[in-house]
Amino acid sequence: MCPISSAVVAVLTSAVVCLASATQKIGTPFLERQLHKHGFHRDLTTSVEWLVNPHHRGDIQNCGILLVEKLPPGIYVDPFQLSSRLQFGGPKVLVDAAVNIEMPAHLSPGHTLHVYADLKTVTDSDEGFSLAASVTLPIHLRYQPPAHESSITHVDVVISNPRLFTNCSIKESVVLLQAPCDHTNASQCLWHEHHYQAEVDSVTCSVPVGNTSYLPLVVAVTLLVTGICCLFIVYVVITKQPQTKLKTS
């Protein structure tokens, strides 16, 4: 074996020291996701917390985050709802394409969202310095196609965790992305991607579905009720003729 030169050892040692310094400078962010409400209209809350070495607090102040969300076909956001909520402090969201809110899940494409938020100081002391951001996104579930088996009553729709970016120059970023600077899409900026820790890789919504095995019964009952109502209306029209009074001069 060839002996390792002192220069190589020095380079490797320097790289390890730099990596350790970077890890101490800014920790790995932690991401948490929660679903609120029930039914077809829910709120998806995403919280990001970042623990930073207090000696490097000046390096990442006044930073914003970008969450790139990829929604599956079974879920959509309403751009008009987002626009109306924005003036009351709602989330800042840029939708990549037009959204048809009437389409069922099996006829709809998924779409990508750019969600923007500001990192705010949570704790600031000599022992620790942490930043956090939280965004609540109103989401809506689409109707699913009916099942052919009576045992299937619900279908799970999975929302994967988003990609996390910041617009400040942090050396621990892994990928640079050119994306809109904010939700107005007026200009482009370079965003730094960061890996993060999360308790789960996704959240799941359970959506009720219809069943084709009940189709004959539903059709028969519908036709029967419709026929009875029509006959009742005809009966009332024939038997309850309005009585006209002649005006005597």
Side-chain angles (χ1 to χ4, degrees):
M1 296 178 61
C2 297
I4 301 176
S5 65
S6 58
V8 174
V9 173
V11 171
L12 293 175
T13 303
S14 176
V16 171
V17 171
C18 289
L19 180 60
S21 175
T23 304
Q24 295 174 357
K25 176 179 177 181
I26 176 170
T28 302
F30 180 79
L31 183 139
E32 183 181 12
R33 307 264 270 182
Q34 290 183 335
L35 278 172
H36 306 282
K37 300 181 181 179
H38 302 280
F40 283 83
H41 309 285
R42 306 189 183 186
D43 288 338
L44 174 62
T45 299
T46 303
S47 302
V48 178
E49 187 172 359
W50 228 318
L51 183 62
V52 183
N53 188 315
H55 299 292
H56 299 283
R57 59 168 58 90
D59 296 332
I60 59 171
Q61 285 184 338
N62 301 319
C63 288
I65 65 170
L66 166 62
L67 301 174
V68 179
E69 296 267 10
K70 290 188 177 295
L71 297 183
I75 294 178
Y76 71 92
V77 295
D78 186 348
F80 296 101
Q81 180 187 28
L82 295 174
S83 178
S84 63
R85 287 194 178 188
L86 182 60
Q87 57 183 330
F88 299 105
K92 302 175 182 177
V93 183
L94 176 63
V95 185
D96 68 334
V99 180
N100 188 334
I101 65 175
E102 303 294 339
M103 297 289 286
H106 62 287
L107 298 178
S108 303
H111 51 280
T112 302
L113 309 177
H114 290 69
V115 184
Y116 299 86
D118 296 324
L119 282 170
K120 298 180 180 180
T121 303
V122 177
T123 57
D124 188 357
S125 63
D126 294 336
E127 289 77 20
F129 176 69
S130 62
L131 302 171
S134 182
V135 179
T136 298
L137 194 65
I139 60 174
H140 309 276
L141 303 177
R142 295 185 184 274
Y143 291 108
Q144 299 287 330
H148 300 288
E149 299 178 10
S150 58
S151 59
I152 300 177
T153 59
H154 291 75
V155 172
D156 290 337
V157 179
V158 179
I159 310 174
S160 300
N161 285 349
R163 297 173 66 185
L164 173 64
F165 298 85
T166 63
N167 60 358
C168 47
S169 244
I170 303 176
K171 294 181 180 179
E172 290 76 12
S173 61
V174 294
V175 175
L176 286 178
L177 172 72
Q178 185 172 356
C181 298
D182 54 35
H183 66 285
T184 63
N185 197 17
S187 58
Q188 297 282 312
C189 294
L190 286 178
W191 293 84
H192 304 258
E193 185 174 13
H194 301 274
H195 294 308
Y196 57 80
Q197 295 179 347
E199 292 183 353
V200 294
D201 295 329
S202 60
V203 291
T204 303
C205 302
S206 183
V207 185
V209 297
N211 198 291
T212 55
S213 62
Y214 300 120
L215 182 60
L217 176 62
V218 172
V219 171
V221 172
T222 302
L223 292 176
L224 178 62
V225 172
T226 303
I228 292 175
C229 292
C230 291
L231 292 175
F232 178 74
I233 293 174
V234 172
Y235 170 78
V236 171
V237 170
I238 294 175
T239 59
K240 303 294 184 180
Q241 292 292 339
Q243 297 179 357
T244 58
K245 297 182 179 179
L246 297 176
K247 184 178 180 180
T248 59
S249 56

